[in-house]
Amino acid sequence: RDIYLVGGAVRDLLLNLPFDDVDLAVNGNAIELAQKLAQAAGGELKTHPIFNTATLKMEQWNIDIAMLRAESYARPGALPAVTPGTLAADLFRRDFTINAMAVRLNKNGYGELVDLYGGKEDLAKGIIRVLHEQSFTDDATRIWRAIRYEQRLEFHIEPATRRLLKRNLAMLETISGDRIRHEIEAV
């Protein structure tokens, strides 16, 4: 089965920043893999069958394990419906190019960076860029994340993404209070 390190951990590795949250994407049953990891390494395991994801909390690490997937949104602010997908689809569903990279963890190609959407170049330029025009409509919490990354990483939101962010500010009203609180607490 194909396994990838994805998301913020890849970004932080490339920026030489510390991290304690690890996201793994697997081609197959993520919960089954998480259970095997928990048996081998210990830790507290929490599964989310509706999304075929699991979280393994260990002493110093939080490891989220998810199947490679595609997402669709029934309406703005709704949680996504997920279906099994390809690595390209999984990376495309992410919030920003700088979080849409993967590192292969399989024996064949181990350590290879997969950057289909220009994330490494945007990291080098210090740019926050969405992957598609509907990004903030699909999940308006990304507005908070864009601002958080801009401040924390000392990056800037590129002009087209800034226009989309401003256009979709009203979409924040579609997000539950719990999800907004979670984004604010992440600062």
Side-chain angles (χ1 to χ4, degrees):
R1 96 176 69 183
D2 294 326
I3 302 174
Y4 303 88
L5 177 69
V6 294
V10 175
R11 175 200 68 226
D12 290 347
L13 274 172
L14 292 171
L15 292 173
N16 293 314
L17 296 174
F19 60 92
D20 56 10
D21 286 330
V22 174
D23 293 322
L24 300 177
V26 59
N27 188 8
N29 190 323
I31 293 173
E32 180 182 291
L33 176 62
Q35 289 167 335
K36 288 179 182 177
L37 281 173
Q39 287 173 346
E44 177 187 333
L45 181 65
K46 184 175 183 182
T47 62
H48 314 282
I50 192 166
F51 297 116
N52 192 6
T53 64
T55 301
L56 179 59
K57 292 185 184 253
M58 302 173 75
E59 287 181 25
Q60 60 195 25
W61 298 97
N62 289 323
I63 303 171
D64 289 322
I65 304 163
M67 74 171 167
L68 290 174
R69 66 189 194 207
E71 294 180 342
S72 60
Y73 294 83
R75 60 179 166 58
L79 292 175
V82 300
T83 56
T86 63
L87 179 61
D90 191 85
L91 295 176
F92 189 71
R93 72 175 179 81
R94 296 181 181 275
D95 52 7
F96 306 106
T97 60
I98 61 171
N99 293 331
M101 295 178 282
V103 174
R104 292 183 195 280
L105 298 181
N106 291 66
K107 188 176 3 177
N108 291 341
Y110 181 82
E112 177 188 336
L113 177 68
V114 180
D115 179 15
L116 304 175
Y117 304 108
K120 190 173 180 184
E121 182 178 340
D122 284 350
L123 273 181
K125 292 178 179 178
I127 292 174
I128 308 293
R129 180 190 317 271
V130 292
L131 290 146
H132 57 86
E133 244 188 67
Q134 290 301 110
S135 188
F136 296 126
T137 302
D138 288 344
D139 184 355
T141 63
R142 292 171 176 164
I143 292 170
W144 289 108
R145 273 183 256 147
I147 295 165
R148 187 171 72 232
Y149 293 142
E150 180 182 52
Q151 298 303 305
R152 187 174 76 195
L153 300 173
E154 297 181 6
F155 280 22
H156 65 275
I157 300 170
E158 63 88 31
T161 297
R162 185 172 298 284
R163 281 191 298 279
L164 293 170
L165 185 151
K166 288 178 180 179
R167 180 191 78 184
N168 288 289
L169 282 173
M171 291 295 150
L172 286 170
E173 294 177 18
T174 68
I175 304 299
S176 72
D178 283 343
R179 290 182 67 212
I180 289 176
R181 187 183 74 246
H182 174 75
E183 291 298 326
I184 291 171
E185 288 173 351
V187 175

